[in-house]
Amino acid sequence: PCVAVGVCQRAFKLRGKQPGWTRSSWAYHGDDGNSYHGSGVSGVSYGPRFGAGDVVGCGLCRANDENLLAVYFVLMRRDEAPRPLGVAYLIDGMEPLYAVVGMDSPALRVTVNFGAAAPFTLPDAQGALAATVAGLLGATDVAFGVVES
């Protein structure tokens, strides 16, 4: 089974293809740990595989160039320190981006926190990590969400 976490543009169709398999989406896939953009065949080695019980943070921040956005991921496993995976993509920030989660089986379940029902907060160590990543990128804003599979 595969859970894919990432961002997409309005043109991305929510059925039929996993996030990252089209030119209008960018994603990190749990089944192989690859990042994908524009193709379901040619993923790029990015991080470890993830699955049940793992928490994946997807961060988005403005890079030094005002039109570029950096998309990065953090993997958090039970009883382990958060593991920043680094910047996966630098993308043109002129078009709105939306959070997206893809699953290849109706039997899969995820929990997503975008902060609407309850503010999303990171424990102190994780919050410091997000701030460090943002600082390294010259970020001016940061969004962070979590998926548990």
Side-chain angles (χ1 to χ4, degrees):
C2 178
V3 174
V5 179
V7 295
C8 67
Q9 296 170 328
R10 185 178 304 272
F12 180 70
K13 305 262 187 279
L14 295 177
R15 293 183 184 264
K17 293 189 177 184
Q18 283 277 39
W21 289 4
T22 69
R23 304 245 350 120
S24 60
S25 61
W26 298 259
Y28 170 37
H29 285 228
D31 62 334
D32 58 13
N34 288 345
S35 62
Y36 288 86
H37 171 64
S39 170
V41 178
S42 58
V44 175
S45 180
Y46 177 68
R49 295 176 181 191
F50 64 87
D54 293 334
V55 177
V56 177
C58 178
L60 179 67
C61 61
R62 195 156 304 284
N64 290 331
D65 178 327
E66 286 191 29
N67 292 328
L68 286 179
L69 293 174
V71 180
Y72 64 94
F73 298 90
V74 177
L75 179 61
M76 294 167 267
R77 293 195 162 135
R78 287 190 177 110
D79 302 323
E80 291 183 20
R83 181 176 176 181
L85 304 177
V87 174
Y89 309 102
L90 285 174
I91 57 179
D92 182 353
M94 296 302 288
E95 189 171 331
L97 294 173
Y98 304 91
V100 65
V101 176
M103 298 174 282
D104 68 357
S105 168
L108 295 172
R109 291 184 344 181
V110 297
T111 302
V112 181
N113 179 354
F114 296 113
F120 179 75
T121 57
L122 293 169
D124 290 342
Q126 294 172 0
L129 170 66
T132 299
V133 170
L136 290 172
L137 296 171
T140 57
D141 58 350
V142 175
F144 210 93
V146 171
V147 173
E148 292 184 64
S149 61

